[in-house]
DNA sequence: CTGAAAGCGCTAACAT
DNA sequence: ATGTTAGCGCTTTCAG
């Protein structure tokens, strides 16, 4: 690889001059600049990013920690971060946390070590204190899908409670009285917030009459988990007519369980999911789901992260996003 | 950030000693090593990766270029590369090419500049010469989903032809005579290879009788493309009873077009997809599809890339993968 | 407008 | 077993 010295020698200038044209410094004569540029091209010169980062103490890298890139939800998050990053001349380092505290921690540490200028972290397994410590260490970390007390300005998150409330309310408004909740057995805050929204919606509508019982089942947040939870719910509650699920995948499992038992969706049982992920549109019937505006959230996270890292004035946008309900074909009025 | 000097001073040793314990050199007394380790911990020291890369001329980074991380297919590829990389102490830099030559080129260049030790490239828009030039420049590039003449040992790819043949043959064996192909209008080699496999399967079965006509339509490789192509096919060929599609998304679109016209799948028309992606299992009916073993391919790519970059002896595995047919519920025997 | 020179934090001879 | 030291490729004063 040609170095800056090679270019300097070949062009008959000093390395300082070459450095200046690399960085587009205005105080180089355009003649010299042209000469240098030509030489760089001839030599196939590429500035060594490691050297630049070392000396200037700032890289153009943005680190992203997600649970699992192969999950379309996180894929989408990464993509939108990349779009913004690319626009600003930054590139991405990624780390997978796989919902495990140790892996998440390791991923963050690895990225810090690799001198990322900023960091976008989706962590559910690490506690507030650990995250606060990282935030103190790095300075340019933005947390996505999480609200950490004391770090409100660095958090971008969704109102899970409201999404769940919306979904449950929609079901109630359709006339359902026996609405169940299928939750995740993973001990992360999202599931309790969604459960709370579900329960509160139910409670809101039974202040006058006591006719909306709470029915819940918890299992792993995947397809078979949804299937098992639904099976359990059906066994325990014969007159159930609607379910709100923690996410779309569990909803898919729930629909399978229902279909296997000859219940039709939505004629016999209505189903609502959460995330409005890719599969929502491919399920049969198409799934009504709470939309998670991850694209916007990821883009904002990237903008904030880069702004903080380059001490630009950060647009003071609130990190709190409100979900909306996307109505498709998995909800109908109850029978009778 | 504490540097190696800080640690050395604090521990009362030289930077060389600290460097030795960082790198697990065996020639340090375990007493000193322990002391140094403790000091590193106390100071919250993290080795500066940029400095290490600069001086040692090798990083522990592996670059991955895909078309779009938010596509589950690529997400899966990235994940499996990460798994292997992580196991070997490497981390990932990613770049999106979005099927555009300029973006792909830029992504590769950016990664090279960032001193990745190795590179896994999924490129469909760049020509062989460009890719060969990059390969010459970097040395540790592995190409995935592509076969570049002269670089066979660095290519990991799927036998598209065989996959298409398999799918078409399966349809014929079920008794179908009017089997159509929905292809991608993008000018990449995959689509012509799959078309060839389709045509050859048809030809194989009409050597004795001329009863299997070729019927094709091409459109964008997405859902609406599949829908349009299917509509066109139906209009032109009233007695068509089966379609083989370029990928699962187009198959999804085709199924929509069919359903909209009151044709049942698979009773009236059988459908086969390609990739066996996430959605294949969620479509209704579940889609029979050609499985693309991207996980294994990605893992092998990562292993090879790392091996080459660290001049380890590379296991001489062939990069040629054979697809298999995953039978689900979208294929049946034809009517009558 | 350009050049000389001092490091950035670390590794790897080379000494001891 | 440990210390000294010369850079890696680049940016950035500071002089001219």
């Amino acid at each position: 690889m040609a170095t800056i010295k090679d270019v300097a020698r070949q062009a008959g200038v000093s390395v300082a001059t070459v450095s200046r044209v690399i960085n587009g410094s205005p105080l180089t004569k355009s003649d010299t600049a042209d000469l240098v540029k030509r030489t760089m091209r001839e030599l196939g010169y590429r500035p060594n990013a490691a050297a630049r980062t070392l000396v200037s103490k700032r890289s153009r890298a943005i680190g992203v920690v997600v649970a699992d890139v192969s999950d379309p939800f996180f894929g989408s998050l990464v993509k939108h971060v990349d779009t913004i990053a690319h626009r600003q001349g930054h590139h991405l380092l990624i780390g997978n946390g796989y919902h495990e505290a140790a892996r998440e921690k390791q991923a963050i540490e690895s990225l810090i070590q690799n001198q990322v200028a900023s960091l976008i972290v989706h962590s559910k397994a690490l506690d507030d204190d650990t995250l606060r410590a990282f935030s103190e260490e790095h300075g340019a970390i933005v947390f996505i899908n999480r609200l950490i007390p004391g770090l409100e300005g660095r958090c971008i998150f969704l109102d899970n409670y409201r999404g769940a409330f919306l979904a449950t309310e929609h079901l109630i408004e359709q006339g359902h009285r026996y609405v169940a909740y299928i939750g995740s057995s993973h001990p992360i805050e999202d599931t309790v917030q969604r459960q709370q929204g579900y329960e509160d919606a139910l409670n809101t509508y039974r202040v006058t009459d006591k006719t909306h019982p709470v029915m819940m089942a918890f299992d792993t947040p995947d397809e078979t988990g949804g299937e098992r939870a639904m099976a359990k719910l059906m066994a325990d509650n014969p007159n159930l007519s609607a379910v709100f699920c923690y996410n779309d995948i569990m909803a898919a499992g729930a629909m399978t369980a229902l279909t296997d038992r000859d219940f039709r969706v939505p004629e016999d049982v209505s189903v609502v999911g959460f995330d409005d992920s890719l599969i929502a549109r491919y399920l049969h019937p198409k799934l009504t789901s709470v939309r998670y505006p991850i694209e916007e959230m990821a883009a904002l996270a990237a903008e904030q992260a880069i702004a903080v890292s380059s001490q630009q004035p950060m647009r003071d946008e609130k990190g709190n996003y409100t979900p909306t309900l996307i109505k498709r074909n998995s909800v109908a009025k109850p029978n009778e």
Side-chain angles (χ1 to χ4, degrees), chain A residues 180-236:
Chain A
Y181 172 57
I182 290 182
S184 162
S185 53
H186 278 187
I188 68 174
E189 53 184 354
D190 302 44
T191 189
V192 340
Q193 292 167 351
R194 292 179 194 177
Q195 176 184 334
Q196 196 57 247
Y198 156 78
E199 291 190 47
D200 281 9
L202 249 34
N203 287 327
T204 300
Y205 285 86
R206 65 175 175 191
V207 280
T208 47
D209 69 298
K210 302 240 165 217
T211 51
H212 293 89
V214 170
M215 301 179 283
M216 305 190 292
F218 298 84
D219 212 305
T220 53
D222 52 29
E223 202 172 351
T224 51
E227 217 171 317
R228 278 191 302 253
M230 189 72 237
K232 188 163 180 310
L233 244 20
M234 298 299 291
D236 298 350

Side-chain angles (χ1 to χ4, degrees), chain A residues 157-191:
Chain A
F157 54 96
L158 184 76
D159 191 338
N160 278 300
Y161 173 88
R162 183 151 177 65
F165 192 99
L166 239 43
T168 311
E169 187 177 45
H170 175 58
L171 258 4
I172 294 173
E173 283 172 354
Q174 293 296 306
H176 292 280
R177 289 172 48 206
Y178 299 95
V179 180
Y181 172 57
I182 290 182
S184 162
S185 53
H186 278 187
I188 68 174
E189 53 184 354
D190 302 44
T191 189

Side-chain angles (χ1 to χ4, degrees), chain A residues 90-160:
Chain A
H90 285 231
H91 60 269
L92 259 52
L93 296 214
I94 65 162
N96 290 118
Y98 298 114
H99 298 292
E100 286 170 42
R103 300 284 305 253
E104 288 183 358
K105 187 152 183 282
Q106 196 186 357
I108 297 174
E109 287 173 340
S110 161
L111 293 175
I112 292 179
Q113 241 183 58
N114 282 285
Q115 311 299 121
V116 292
S118 57
L119 213 32
I120 292 177
V121 174
H122 182 288
S123 166
K124 287 286 158 178
L126 257 21
D127 57 60
D128 285 358
D129 283 341
T130 308
L131 261 17
R132 264 190 289 258
F134 276 128
S135 179
E136 205 149 311
E137 178 176 354
H138 192 97
I141 307 188
V142 171
F143 298 96
I144 195 160
N145 196 9
R146 177 140 183 177
L147 176 57
I148 302 169
L151 252 39
E152 289 78 4
R154 293 279 137 81
C155 292
I156 292 170
F157 54 96
L158 184 76
D159 191 338
N160 278 300

Side-chain angles (χ1 to χ4, degrees), chain A residues 3 9 37 40 49 77 79 190 195 199 203 238 241 269 285 291 302 317 334:
Chain A
T3 74
R9 191 177 324 116
K37 280 181 195 155
M40 293 197 300
L77 152 27
K79 174 190 180 156
D190 302 44
Q195 176 184 334
E199 291 190 47
N203 287 327
S241 74
V269 178
R291 177 170 146 68
E317 261 172 287

Side-chain angles (χ1 to χ4, degrees), chain A residues 65-78:
Chain A
V65 177
V66 295
D68 180 352
V69 261
S70 71
D71 179 328
F73 179 83
F74 294 114
S76 186
L77 152 27
V78 171

